[in-house]
Amino acid sequence: MSLPHAILTALLEKPSSGLELTRRFDKSIGYFWSATHQQIYRELGKLEAEGLIRALPAEQPARGQKKSYEVLPAGRAELARWTAAAQDPKPQRDVLLLRLRAAAVVGTAGLEADLRRHLELHRRQLAEYREIEKRDFPPGRDAPQDRLRHLVLRAGIDLETFWTQWLTHALAEFAELPDTD
């Protein structure tokens, strides 16, 4: 149910076409809620059919022109309802952790190299988030909307920090393990 709400959020921030939404997802919302181009277009159709958004009138009628969408009052109300609703955290599901558990019974062949690869990926993501923070949230930028957006980014920074620390610890443990392959 969250993809429609992610789209409503993005459209409230700025009316956009499906292609623009896809690009914006890749640069912001996609860091924590990903969606394909097809999923976004499918949801736009559903949201429009439900009366939550509408296509903006084209400035000049043209065949094949991309539609831009805006949120209607019903869409804003739905997003406000969803935002205010209580929601329990989802259980953690991580393939890497499951693979580590499986390695305890079948051996660790290939796993240390993948842990190193994961560590590098998380380090790169952390560096990217820190660059975004430096660029988009300089000292003194503390409007309520900015503070909430920064809070979301801080969650990403904290998660990547956790993963880099945990993977560093896991690799240290691997160095001490007897060969179980």
Side-chain angles (χ1 to χ4, degrees), residues 58-71:
E59 292 178 16
Q60 299 176 8
R63 208 177 132 121
Q65 184 177 10
K66 63 182 179 183
K67 291 184 197 176
S68 284
Y69 295 89
E70 71 176 354
V71 177

Side-chain angles (χ1 to χ4, degrees), residues 25 44 60 78 87 126 130-131 143 148 169 171 173 181:
F25 262 69
L44 285 170
Q60 299 176 8
E78 167 53 24
Q87 200 168 53
L126 179 58
R130 287 186 172 147
E131 282 300 313
L148 291 174
H169 176 76
L171 287 164
E173 287 288 327
D181 300 337

Side-chain angles (χ1 to χ4, degrees), residues 39-103:
Q39 288 172 315
I40 289 172
Y41 274 96
R42 190 170 38 249
E43 286 301 324
L44 285 170
K46 290 177 186 176
L47 290 168
E48 190 173 26
E50 293 170 9
L52 301 179
I53 65 171
R54 73 175 180 118
L56 292 169
E59 292 178 16
Q60 299 176 8
R63 208 177 132 121
Q65 184 177 10
K66 63 182 179 183
K67 291 184 197 176
S68 284
Y69 295 89
E70 71 176 354
V71 177
L72 295 170
R76 180 180 282 277
E78 167 53 24
L79 188 59
R81 182 209 60 76
W82 179 77
T83 301
Q87 200 168 53
D88 292 337
K90 298 284 184 210
Q92 176 73 18
R93 290 179 61 176
D94 190 284
V95 172
L96 182 60
L97 298 177
L98 181 58
R99 290 173 55 218
L100 275 171
R101 182 69 182 249

Side-chain angles (χ1 to χ4, degrees), residues 96 100 112 114-120 122-123 126 160-176:
L96 182 60
L100 275 171
E112 184 175 0
D114 202 38
L115 288 172
R116 290 187 190 288
R117 186 180 70 82
H118 276 253
L119 178 58
E120 182 54 33
H122 285 288
R123 283 180 174 157
L126 179 58
E160 293 304 328
T161 299
F162 161 79
W163 280 112
T164 57
Q165 290 172 347
W166 183 85
L167 285 160
T168 300
H169 176 76
L171 287 164
E173 287 288 327
F174 259 72
E176 295 180 14

Side-chain angles (χ1 to χ4, degrees), residues 24-34 120-138 149-164:
R24 288 175 55 213
F25 262 69
D26 289 344
K27 293 179 183 173
S28 62
I29 291 174
Y31 285 119
F32 57 91
W33 198 270
S34 62
E120 182 54 33
L121 292 170
H122 285 288
R123 283 180 174 157
R124 277 191 255 155
Q125 189 65 61
L126 179 58
E128 185 176 340
Y129 285 164
R130 287 186 172 147
E131 282 300 313
I132 292 169
E133 183 178 43
K134 191 162 63 170
R135 181 192 70 215
D136 293 350
F137 300 100
R149 288 182 185 116
H150 192 195
L151 193 58
V152 173
L153 179 61
R154 282 297 322 167
I157 289 169
D158 291 349
L159 285 169
E160 293 304 328
T161 299
F162 161 79
W163 280 112
T164 57

